[in-house]
Amino acid sequence: MAILVTGANGQIGTNLVRLLREKYGRDQVIASDIIRSDISTPPFLMLDILNVQRIREIIEDREIDQIYHLAAILSANGEWNPMKTWNVNLNGYLSILQISVEMGVKRVFFPSTIAVHGKSTPKVNTPQYAPMDPSTVYGMSKIAGENWSHYYHQRYGLDVRSLRYPGIIGYDSMPGGGTTDYAVDIFYQALEKGRYTCFLKPDTRLPMMYMPDAMRATMELMHAPSDKITIRQGYNLTGMSFTPEELAAEIKKHIPSFEIDYHPDFRQKIAESWSESIDDAQARQDWDWQPQFDLAAMTRDILEELGESKFKSGGR
Ligand code: NAD
Ligand code: AKB
């Protein structure tokens, strides 16, 4: 089994590469990204997802069987350069799909997102199938990607699997320009400065998930028998839903002196276009999805893991 991970240096890729290497062995998992960084541990290859020839070479040379295609530009950063975001997120993914069919890649993972939701999507307990009119180019590219996943499965039998991740929160890799990033940054600022200025309003409720749950969901989906997968677009998935105010109150239970204030910016409008909570009944039914972390358990775990002394000695 040889696995290629694109966008491997990102918030999710850092955790996923580690997990896949534990499971399949270091040499079986090729990490790739457009940039090399401190976390680019070998085997690592430079790969711009827009370089079609380079994708082909890597798949051929490394005899790749599976691709976890994480490379993307996220919701907030995407708004600074819409054309580039569309190109990277959609055209980059189309190359992965087409080359996978041509070169016999057996399975592809495509991370979709709650950003596919929009103004006409029901906000509470959003069902799997609902109107999708995203307001960001990121959301537009992901819903188009979902439809292409479905198409490549129907037309060419490609085994594409996909999750609509909510905001993912972890403590050992930094997020890359999304709207849910506050829920990671707040922990660092709470420990470092004892206070945090949030770019969303206090009552902005969004669906979220702790990184270990997100990694387990990804593995469970990718290992489920094919006949259990009834959705190829992107499974609804959730762990918890909370507001900045509720997260701050939970942190305060551990750090009583913690203070938060609010200066909403352009990301507020993006957050308001997304759902507040998700109905992930189909994932529960098809491959037994069950989250383990709620807000209290996640907050306790992150603060224990980061811990003041560890944080100060390790740095960010
Ligand atoms: P991230 O921004 O932290 O990482 C994305 C990586 O893609 C970066 O390392 C970046 O260098 C790389 N990249 C950008 N352009 C590239 C290009 N042209 N070629 C190759 N690599 C390129 O994002 P993440 O949070 O790790 O997200 C990973 C995937 O999961 C993305 O597809 C994202 O849409 C999806 N997702 C993430 C979240 C979340 O909360 N983190 C939620 C929903 C979906
Ligand atoms: C973002 O905020 O853009 C991401 C996502 C929910 O897709 N975290």
Side-chain angles (χ1 to χ4, degrees):
M1 167 83 83
I3 296 173
L4 174 66
V5 181
T6 71
N9 287 345
Q11 187 203 6
I12 292 178
T14 306
N15 285 268
L16 191 62
V17 166
R18 196 185 308 132
L19 189 68
L20 289 169
R21 284 180 176 166
E22 278 165 21
K23 195 167 175 53
Y24 296 104
R26 170 166 289 275
D27 292 342
Q28 305 321 114
V29 182
I30 317 295
S32 72
D33 205 292
I34 197 170
I35 43 153
R36 192 179 288 276
S37 80
D38 296 351
I39 46 151
S40 311
T41 50
F44 175 86
L45 298 172
M46 296 289 282
L47 171 62
D48 179 345
I49 208 61
L50 298 177
N51 186 340
V52 177
Q53 186 51 33
R54 178 85 177 130
I55 302 174
R56 285 185 197 281
E57 279 165 16
I58 292 175
I59 293 178
E60 188 172 349
D61 290 354
R62 303 293 176 137
E63 298 177 8
I64 298 297
D65 302 297
Q66 292 197 3
I67 301 177
Y68 288 76
H69 176 57
L70 306 183
I73 299 172
L74 273 66
S75 59
N77 276 357
E79 292 306 290
W80 299 115
N81 195 338
M83 287 304 131
K84 181 178 173 192
T85 303
W86 179 260
N87 208 14
V88 170
N89 292 7
L90 201 264
N91 293 332
Y93 182 45
L94 280 177
S95 300
I96 291 288
L97 289 172
Q98 183 57 30
I99 295 170
S100 292
V101 168
E102 286 170 17
M103 301 186 75
V105 173
K106 294 190 185 73
R107 196 164 287 174
V108 173
F109 176 72
F110 176 66
S112 187
T113 164
I114 51 167
V116 296
H117 300 145
K119 215 172 164 192
S120 18
T121 313
K123 269 193 143 3
V124 178
N125 275 332
T126 304
Q128 178 70 41
Y129 297 103
M132 304 275 171
D133 50 354
S135 62
T136 59
V137 69
Y138 172 66
M140 285 159 56
S141 67
K142 289 290 185 173
I143 194 66
E146 284 200 14
N147 288 328
W148 279 107
S149 302
H150 180 72
Y151 182 85
Y152 267 78
H153 176 69
Q154 295 280 94
R155 171 100 195 245
Y156 303 109
L158 184 64
D159 189 358
V160 190
R161 302 180 179 203
S162 177
L163 295 171
R164 285 180 190 146
Y165 286 136
I168 306 298
I169 304 164
Y171 58 82
D172 58 358
S173 56
M174 298 312 285
T179 303
T180 58
D181 292 12
Y182 88 86
V184 177
D185 209 26
I186 192 171
F187 286 100
Y188 285 91
Q189 300 293 332
L191 287 166
E192 199 172 15
K193 298 187 180 139
R195 57 172 303 107
Y196 181 65
T197 299
C198 186
F199 58 75
L200 296 183
K201 290 183 187 166
D203 59 351
T204 314
R205 185 172 301 282
L206 288 171
M208 301 279 189
M209 179 175 282
Y210 191 29
M211 185 68 81
D213 271 345
M215 293 299 93
R216 195 167 47 77
T218 309
M219 289 298 115
E220 286 176 6
L221 175 73
M222 287 299 273
H223 290 100
S226 267
D227 60 1
K228 295 274 181 199
I229 310 294
T230 61
I231 293 170
R232 297 292 172 168
Q233 283 97 334
Y235 274 94
N236 268 7
L237 187 77
T238 193
M240 60 191 95
S241 282
F242 58 77
T243 64
E245 199 168 44
E246 288 166 355
L247 176 55
E250 201 57 47
I251 292 173
K252 245 173 150 13
K253 290 181 189 166
H254 302 266
I255 309 172
S257 58
F258 175 63
E259 296 290 344
I260 186 164
D261 62 353
Y262 301 91
H263 287 285
D265 64 18
F266 73 101
R267 290 168 281 193
Q268 180 64 33
K269 212 169 151 199
I270 298 177
E272 282 172 9
S273 74
W274 294 352
S275 300
E276 293 182 1
S277 58
I278 304 288
D279 176 1
D280 59 7
Q282 199 66 44
R284 290 169 189 256
Q285 183 183 306
D286 286 0
W287 38 276
D288 299 328
W289 165 243
Q290 192 68 55
Q292 284 175 355
F293 287 87
D294 61 11
L295 176 58
M298 176 187 75
T299 305
R300 191 169 50 245
D301 201 59
I302 294 180
L303 290 174
E304 264 172 34
E305 287 292 339
L306 280 180
E308 199 165 358
S309 56
K310 188 176 168 190
F311 178 70
K312 279 188 172 152
S313 61
R316 286 168 80 174

